[in-house]
Amino acid sequence: MSAVLLTHHVDGSIDWSSFEAHLARTAAAGLTPAVNMDTGFVQLLEPGTRRHVLDLARRTVDRFVAGAFVADDDGSAYDPGAMARSCAEVAEAGGTPVVFPSWGLNALDDDAWVAAMAELGSSCDRFIGFELGSMFVPYGRIRGLDAYDGLLGVDACIGAKHSSLSRQAEWDRLALRDRRRPDFAVFTGNDLAIDMVVYGSDYLLGLSTFAPDLFGVRDRLWRDDDARFWEVNDLLQYLGMFAFRAPVPAYRHDAAMFLELRGWAASSAVPDGAPRRPDSDRAVLSDIAERVDALMDALA
């Protein structure tokens, strides 16, 4: 799964045509698009815009997942009704909800969080959980392993995205998953360790929006036990290490620059409120983009 960048024009308006093309490109590469995620600036979107993203995804691709987002503030109480409605909105559009973190949800202690996920499963028959570290959003939180064990007991939860950027934390979850519920998907969100797929993780990455074509090739090489997987993975990991340096949320500006360099976006603009990278990033990204294109040609 790939969290698709929501592209923008220089004037700050959304570049819907580039976004639609990138949705289709992502699906054509064999990846499931994920919309209204952090890569899609979901925190900065108005409700009507989030719904338009869902409608566009429904019309453009056969399957997708989407963030079920509840906007709240520091100190807000968790609103289970609002979360259930957000999940229902995604499901009604034909997508699978990803329970996006919020201030209220992540203020719950671990037991209450598990109970909230179980309650959500009573109204939503299929959803994906989400642990998001505070390096991505200030209200992010990584749960204890006992809480994760509780999540595995929620039948409606088919998997969970794990974005701690910690290999060990993810390995612990994989081991627990293998013992308790082998069909549960651990979706790595570790853009600094995209080789977690070799240990049994699936993925829901922001990095893959830079080059869904090469990610698709990488995945097929791994499936086919082709040693060229490692060359592709190394280049993509170099891109990830560069783009996901601190401050981590600025990776979205690098993604916009990268898509512009590849001719897939009209501009490298990001919306107001999103952190930006220095102009010097463009030279490094241009070099990587040329390497990506060359590797795609070599593997064709």
Side-chain angles (χ1 to χ4, degrees), residues 11 39 48 55 172 278:
D11 65 4
T39 314
D55 290 340
D172 291 343

Side-chain angles (χ1 to χ4, degrees), residues 116-136:
M117 294 300 99
E119 181 182 6
L120 188 61
S122 67
S123 62
C124 179
D125 62 1
R126 179 182 174 89
F127 70 88
I128 295 170
F130 195 177
E131 293 179 287
L132 186 62
S134 58
M135 72 289 289
F136 288 96

Side-chain angles (χ1 to χ4, degrees), residues 18-82:
S18 293
F19 176 62
E20 181 178 3
H22 204 44
L23 281 171
R25 183 181 298 116
T26 300
L31 281 62
T32 300
V35 301
N36 284 344
M37 300 292 288
D38 183 64
T39 314
F41 304 102
V42 67
Q43 309 94 328
L44 303 177
L45 301 181
E46 295 296 326
T49 305
R50 292 198 294 269
R51 286 192 293 271
H52 187 70
V53 169
L54 293 176
D55 290 340
L56 189 59
R58 176 180 52 80
R59 295 196 304 268
T60 306
V61 298
D62 292 333
R63 62 177 183 173
F64 67 94
V65 303
F69 179 76
V70 173
D72 60 4
D73 300 306
D74 190 4
S76 297
Y78 172 57
D79 186 342

